[in-house]
Amino acid sequence: MKGPLFYSKILLFGEYGIIKDSKGLSIPYNFYKGALKKEETLSLSQQASNKNLRRFASYLAEMQEGNNLVRFDLSKFEQDLEEGMYFDSSIPQGYGVGSSGALVAAIYDQYALNKITVLENLNREKLQILKAIFSQMESFFHGKSSGLDPLNSYLSLPILINSQDHVEAAGIPSQSTNGKGAVFLLDSGIVGETAPMVHIFMENMKQEGFRKMLKEKFVKHTDACVDDFLKGDVKSLFKNVKQLSHVVLDNFKPMIPKQFHELWKKGIDTGNYYLKLCGSGGGGYILGFTEDFEKAQKELKDYKLEVVYNF
């Protein structure tokens, strides 16, 4: 057995904001991927994956009790686990690129009964149902999940989040092969944990000042970035990304590893690159935007960069 491949994702815009109804834009990132596989003899890491999947199977059994949204063929799932199934993935965990999302998508694809498929007409209602199912499934890993990562991985399409109950597949401008500008990933070299970061955010949300900043600055600039990106208005996009980078540095410091505070500020001051959170932060990847990738590379020569989109 070798299941279909499911890819990692990158949330270009909308981290934290989508919890409070900002827009968001998520794209598949085919550099990393995962698939369900079976082996007769499992290595230690494959055994750990098999064990994790067994816990997930128990969670799904509880989840589908009295649940009208989805049923799973759990006896088939358990039989496959007995036969040495594991999730073979190159997606780094705790890096904000959707490792659990790809796993959730793979399990739904393999074991959901009457599943919604990528080939049918995916109207708004079907996308909402998928997102709701994936949200419940992925909560096993994060405590609270929007369901967007698995949705992106399952459909392998860019997803535009208009609000919590309005998502759609989106067309994004095609990449410029000879453009100087780029969106890139910067490897912080630290594994991030989603749950503690979301907890800090939820605690901050209890303060009126933080809520006001989120609405008037963070959500405003995030929405503008999404609109600019989809329209292909690069000039306006960089103006808004700079503002967004500033707002994050001023108000989301705990989510930015300490050793990157200076680097973050330097980007804003020089205009050579702008950094933003990739996922919940706290480590993993940091997302970068630059109008001149070569210049940004020189400035960030001590770090590993990966281009994900060219302007």
Side-chain angles (χ1 to χ4, degrees):
M1 165 195 170
K2 184 175 182 321
L5 289 172
F6 290 93
Y7 296 106
S8 53
K9 67 87 199 81
I10 291 170
L11 185 63
L12 286 180
F13 303 105
E15 70 293 337
Y16 292 109
I18 51 177
I19 299 175
K20 290 292 151 207
D21 264 0
S22 80
K23 285 187 179 182
L25 183 64
S26 181
I27 60 171
Y29 182 43
N30 300 356
F31 187 73
Y32 296 120
K33 48 198 163 295
L36 291 167
K37 285 186 185 173
K38 270 185 203 166
E39 301 285 345
E40 277 181 30
T41 343
L42 297 179
S43 69
L44 283 174
S45 64
Q46 290 164 351
Q47 282 174 32
S49 171
N50 178 278
K51 211 166 162 181
N52 200 20
L53 286 174
R54 284 171 194 266
R55 285 199 296 269
F56 192 36
S58 308
Y59 171 81
L60 294 181
E62 280 174 37
M63 181 190 127
Q64 70 175 14
E65 290 292 316
N67 189 324
N68 306 325
L69 284 180
V70 66
R71 320 271 325 145
F72 298 97
D73 186 345
L74 292 175
S75 55
K76 174 85 178 80
F77 189 3
E78 272 149 25
Q79 189 191 331
D80 286 338
L81 287 169
E82 286 302 319
E83 291 169 9
M85 184 175 72
Y86 64 100
F87 189 59
D88 183 34
S89 170
S90 65
I91 307 169
Q93 293 186 349
Y95 262 68
V97 286
S99 53
S100 58
L103 170 54
V104 166
I107 296 293
Y108 176 83
D109 180 67
Q110 194 75 19
Y111 302 105
L113 303 167
N114 306 322
K115 66 180 181 188
I116 295 169
T117 71
V118 185
L119 299 169
E120 58 197 271
N121 172 25
L122 287 168
N123 57 23
R124 181 172 165 182
E125 190 189 354
K126 282 181 187 167
L127 282 173
Q128 273 311 121
I129 292 168
L130 267 178
K131 182 173 172 285
I133 292 168
F134 288 151
S135 165
Q136 290 180 13
M137 289 175 74
E138 202 183 28
S139 293
F140 170 74
F141 300 96
H142 292 320
K144 185 171 167 42
S145 159
S146 66
L148 280 166
D149 288 7
L151 187 65
N152 204 300
S153 193
Y154 184 63
L155 300 177
S156 223
L157 293 166
I159 303 282
L160 169 63
I161 302 109
N162 291 299
S163 63
Q164 282 188 351
D165 53 8
H166 183 192
V167 295
E168 57 185 313
I172 60 171
S174 52
Q175 301 195 44
S176 150
T177 40
N178 51 5
K180 285 168 74 175
V183 181
F184 59 90
L185 293 174
L186 184 156
D187 187 346
S188 73
I190 307 158
V191 174
E193 290 264 345
T194 299
M197 295 295 124
V198 173
H199 178 72
I200 293 169
F201 175 77
M202 288 308 192
E203 284 300 305
N204 287 343
M205 283 301 289
K206 293 174 183 170
Q207 300 162 23
E208 196 187 331
F210 188 84
R211 289 198 303 271
K212 192 168 184 278
M213 172 282 303
L214 200 77
K215 191 175 162 195
E216 291 175 6
K217 292 182 177 170
F218 189 79
V219 171
K220 181 184 140 193
H221 295 308
T222 296
D223 287 359
C225 284
V226 171
D227 292 341
D228 290 340
F229 190 90
L230 291 174
K231 281 196 304 234
D233 187 342
V234 177
K235 200 171 175 202
S236 178
L237 173 68
F238 276 95
K239 225 162 41 190
N240 281 304
V241 168
K242 179 179 184 175
Q243 299 281 1
L244 189 56
S245 184
H246 220 304
V247 170
V248 172
L249 184 60
D250 291 345
N251 300 282
F252 288 80
K253 276 228 166 65
M255 286 76 167
I256 305 169
K258 275 198 178 63
Q259 60 271 46
F260 289 95
H261 290 183
E262 264 317 299
L263 205 66
W264 202 286
K265 188 174 182 308
K266 192 179 173 192
I268 296 167
D269 293 345
T270 61
N272 290 339
Y273 59 87
Y274 302 117
L275 301 179
K276 66 181 289 298
L277 296 173
C278 179
S280 53
Y285 285 117
I286 293 169
L287 206 50
F289 287 74
T290 178
E291 290 181 86
D292 186 337
F293 186 64
E294 277 184 17
K295 206 181 262 182
Q297 253 180 325
K298 280 187 192 124
E299 294 256 332
L300 302 166
K301 62 182 185 307
D302 300 336
Y303 301 91
K304 204 173 105 212
L305 310 182
E306 285 170 35
V307 173
V308 295
Y309 187 92
N310 284 101
F311 292 109

